[in-house]
Amino acid sequence: MKKILVLTGGGDCPGLNAVIRGIAKAARTNGNWEVWGSIEAFNGILKDGPEIIKLTRRYTAGIHVKGGTIIKTTNRGNPLEFPTPQPDGSIKLVNRTDELISKIKAQNFDAVINIGGDGSQAISQALFEKGLNIIGVPKTIDNDLSATDLTFGFSTAVQTATESLDRLVSTAESHHRTLIMEVMGRDAGWIALHTAIAGGAEICLIPEIPFKIESVLKRINSRYKKGRGFVNIVIAEGAKPIDGEVMGEKSKDAGDPHIKLAGIANYLRSQLEKRGCQAQIRTTVLGHTQRGGTPIAFDRILATSMGVKAFEMVEAGAFGKMVAYKNNKMASVFIKKAISEYNVVSQDHYLLNTARQLGISFGE
Ligand code: F6P
């Protein structure tokens, strides 16, 4: 029997378990492969006395409906910069890739499937360049990977955000309030844009279009001019005012390079109030509710198909490549190419036009 090692890295995302099950089932159908999972990304295999489990039917049956990942994940396990405590109590980032590859080989793994976002796929590329047989599967609710038309988890996040907006609209209407809802997406406005259109927001603020607070205020005032109005604003966590910066702080976790984006909804509220906005304003930050829970049917299907495709790529020896969903087909792209370009909302994207035709303001 040949052996595949599967791992999930970075933030969790609806559909991770469906990918794992897709890989395990395709391997079972094939009959010549065993599938193993490394617990908490590469940390499982790096541990002395590795924490790896054989993904038998007992572990994978029915997991496609479950949120999270049965093999756990971490954003503190980059083998290129592994956070390692020093005798003086400080943390040093150590390159453990050689050790990792020899441990994978010592366990007789023939291939590795790394399910993760851009950071995880940059690790895949580095390991591939060192000779590891590795395949990537793209994961992120942010939908910010350019090589694939969609990532699984994104549609579920949009569904969750839209359902939340629907609930907030009730309060906005009943109280004549202005409600600001902050959604995830990092530097991409996809979740905000889709949610604003699906939920019928009046204002949508995204990282790709820096906003003017005065323009937002003007739009709010115009909604209240004719008497009792209400306004729903969807704001992406990475949105910023035209003369300001993104709101967030550096992660406190050693080995996590990301800025933790947060606070723009409350900042906008305080700026509007400072400028004399008469409407009662309330803010809601959806946060990790967008990443949790069961994936919607579309994401289960996308994630399962990506898992099956990843297994087929292992069989075909298509290493150094990542699964992609392109033009309604399962495809593969070089990981190097996949991580070279970021997918943000382009100024000529049709959804910007759709939104503008609906009268949604981007605070320009
Ligand atoms: O990349 C996915 C994502 O959920 C972003 O939308 C968000 O900025 C970030 O991860 C949050 O990360 P963490 O769970 O580490 O706070």
Side-chain angles (χ1 to χ4, degrees):
M1 284 290 244
K2 289 182 154 188
K3 285 170 75 179
I4 304 175
L5 183 68
V6 178
L7 56 121
T8 49
D12 67 339
C13 176
L16 284 170
N17 286 324
V19 179
I20 295 168
R21 175 173 166 273
I23 298 167
K25 275 192 158 263
R28 249 174 256 140
T29 303
N30 173 285
N32 296 319
W33 292 83
E34 277 177 4
V35 180
W36 290 68
S38 173
I39 303 298
E40 269 188 19
F42 286 111
N43 292 2
I45 195 93
L46 276 170
K47 270 197 177 155
D48 293 327
E51 221 185 325
I52 54 176
I53 53 168
K54 191 169 163 189
L55 293 169
T56 58
R57 201 184 305 272
R58 185 166 76 87
Y59 283 106
T60 59
I63 60 170
H64 55 300
V65 302
K66 273 187 75 173
T69 160
I70 61 158
I71 50 176
K72 315 297 176 194
T73 187
T74 181
N75 50 16
R76 288 181 289 179
N78 180 352
L80 291 143
E81 291 186 340
F82 199 86
T84 310
Q86 301 299 296
D88 65 358
S90 65
I91 302 277
K92 197 174 156 194
L93 300 178
V94 176
N95 186 334
R96 294 181 67 183
T97 48
D98 290 336
E99 178 195 346
L100 174 71
I101 291 173
S102 59
K103 282 183 164 167
I104 290 170
K105 288 190 176 152
Q107 293 286 335
N108 297 318
F109 285 111
D110 300 281
V112 175
I113 298 176
N114 188 9
I115 312 167
D118 53 347
S120 300
Q121 299 315 334
I123 296 170
S124 300
Q125 178 62 23
L127 295 172
F128 172 68
E129 284 170 16
K130 286 198 154 204
L132 190 69
N133 290 342
I134 191 161
I135 302 276
V137 178
K139 165 248 54 161
T140 168
I141 62 161
D142 304 337
N143 201 36
D144 57 2
L145 287 166
S146 63
T148 179
D149 291 346
L150 272 177
T151 49
F152 64 85
F154 166 69
S155 302
T156 302
V158 170
Q159 185 68 28
T160 303
T162 301
E163 284 166 14
S164 304
L165 185 60
D166 291 347
R167 288 170 198 278
L168 293 172
V169 169
S170 313
T171 302
E173 265 188 304
S174 306
H175 285 261
H176 311 294
R177 281 180 178 165
T178 288
L179 293 190
I180 307 175
M181 185 176 88
E182 181 177 312
V183 298
M184 282 186 166
R186 217 185 279 284
D187 303 318
W190 295 115
I191 297 177
L193 180 58
H194 280 74
T195 304
I197 294 173
E202 283 72 38
I203 300 173
C204 175
L205 304 173
I206 59 175
E208 295 85 346
I209 307 177
F211 61 89
K212 291 191 192 119
I213 293 163
E214 287 304 332
S215 304
V216 176
L217 182 59
K218 217 165 128 192
R219 180 84 170 100
I220 294 172
N221 287 342
S222 78
R223 292 272 304 172
Y224 284 87
K225 216 165 51 198
K226 296 185 196 101
R228 294 170 170 162
F230 66 92
V231 176
N232 288 283
I233 303 177
V234 179
I235 187 166
E237 61 180 2
K240 55 175 185 285
I242 202 150
D243 49 0
E245 289 302 316
V246 290
M247 308 277 309
E249 51 184 55
K250 214 183 139 348
S251 171
K252 290 182 187 64
D253 299 325
D256 180 1
H258 290 116
I259 300 283
K260 297 291 149 202
L261 295 171
I264 190 67
N266 282 325
Y267 173 80
L268 178 62
R269 178 181 50 74
S270 70
Q271 289 300 313
L272 289 168
E273 285 171 354
K274 228 188 232 171
R275 285 168 170 76
C277 182
Q278 291 304 305
Q280 256 191 342
I281 308 174
R282 297 287 188 271
T283 54
T284 303
V285 179
L286 287 192
H288 292 81
T289 58
Q290 296 157 93
R291 267 184 16 197
T294 183
I296 61 170
F298 178 83
D299 276 337
R300 292 182 200 180
I301 296 163
L302 182 61
T304 303
S305 302
M306 285 188 163
V308 169
K309 178 72 180 175
F311 172 74
E312 288 170 352
M313 284 164 65
V314 166
E315 253 197 306
F319 301 117
K321 289 188 162 186
M322 187 186 87
V323 178
Y325 175 64
K326 276 274 174 203
N327 305 321
N328 215 21
K329 287 193 177 76
M330 280 300 142
S332 67
V333 289
F334 286 103
I335 297 173
K336 197 171 183 176
K337 168 113 183 41
I339 55 178
S340 67
E341 236 178 275
Y342 208 53
N343 174 31
V344 294
V345 180
S346 61
Q347 299 300 326
D348 60 353
H349 194 276
Y350 79 93
L351 280 181
L352 284 185
N353 179 53
T354 301
R356 287 190 174 114
Q357 294 288 4
L358 294 174
I360 296 176
S361 162
F362 289 93
E364 290 154 283

